[in-house]
Amino acid sequence: MKKIVLALGLAFCLAAAASAEDDGKLTIAEHQFIEQHLKPLPWRWGPGEVALADRIQQVFEKVRSFKGDTVAREAYRKGFKDRLPSPELRRKAFAMMVAICAADGEVAESELAMLDAFGPGYLAIAQDEVARTAQAVLQAMGLGAQQ
């Protein structure tokens, strides 16, 4: 269970990082998805909403600190697969990323591009597995094919 929780935590951090690079904001629906699905989990950095809110703020600040520094941003991203050593955990983290991106009922082109880059490039998931996982998540959410 602990590894799955870590995967979900990383999934949120990845999605938050991608969002911060776009405009630094989550949509209302994405925020509600996080409230409903992620806040109740036993996060490793401490229980409760304050601990999660603090961690979210730390992630946004870290990502914002990379603005213009592509070398630091790439080094940070390349470490994702090492934090999730099993392919199964990386796929679960990616599936959660897709779900967060789709929580507002659509996946924007910038989100699709981010997912296409993160899956194979930073989580070491084969491109065909990226497509299958994204399709399965979108179908489960009632959104059909968007990729």
Side-chain angles (χ1 to χ4, degrees):
M1 175 68 172
K2 186 175 180 181
K3 287 185 178 180
I4 292 172
V5 170
L6 291 173
L8 295 177
L10 179 58
F12 173 71
C13 292
L14 292 171
S19 176
E21 287 174 8
D22 277 341
D23 62 9
K25 298 177 184 172
L26 295 171
T27 67
I28 291 170
E30 289 166 343
H31 181 72
Q32 289 170 340
F33 181 90
I34 291 162
E35 291 275 332
Q36 181 181 4
H37 297 285
L38 301 180
K39 275 195 175 180
L41 295 173
W43 298 98
R44 68 179 176 93
W45 49 79
E49 291 184 24
V50 173
L52 182 58
D54 287 347
R55 183 62 179 154
I56 291 168
Q57 187 62 38
Q58 289 171 10
V59 170
F60 277 120
E61 288 173 12
K62 184 168 188 93
V63 171
R64 285 186 183 129
S65 75
F66 298 143
K67 189 169 185 133
D69 187 349
T70 57
V71 173
R73 186 176 61 224
E74 284 301 302
Y76 177 69
R77 288 177 172 177
K78 286 181 180 178
F80 291 148
K81 70 179 176 187
D82 297 331
R83 291 194 216 40
L84 294 171
S86 95
E88 180 183 354
L89 289 177
R90 290 193 299 269
R91 282 192 299 274
K92 287 179 181 184
F94 181 77
M96 185 57 73
M97 285 180 67
V98 175
I100 292 169
C101 289
D104 57 2
E106 64 182 13
V107 181
E109 289 298 320
S110 61
E111 291 171 322
L112 284 173
M114 179 271 301
L115 291 168
D116 283 341
F118 269 88
Y122 302 110
L123 295 175
I125 301 171
Q127 188 64 47
D128 61 331
E129 184 67 22
V130 164
R132 278 194 305 274
T133 300
Q135 182 70 15
V137 170
L138 293 173
Q139 285 180 348
M141 294 178 78
L143 297 176
Q146 288 201 17
Q147 240 187 352

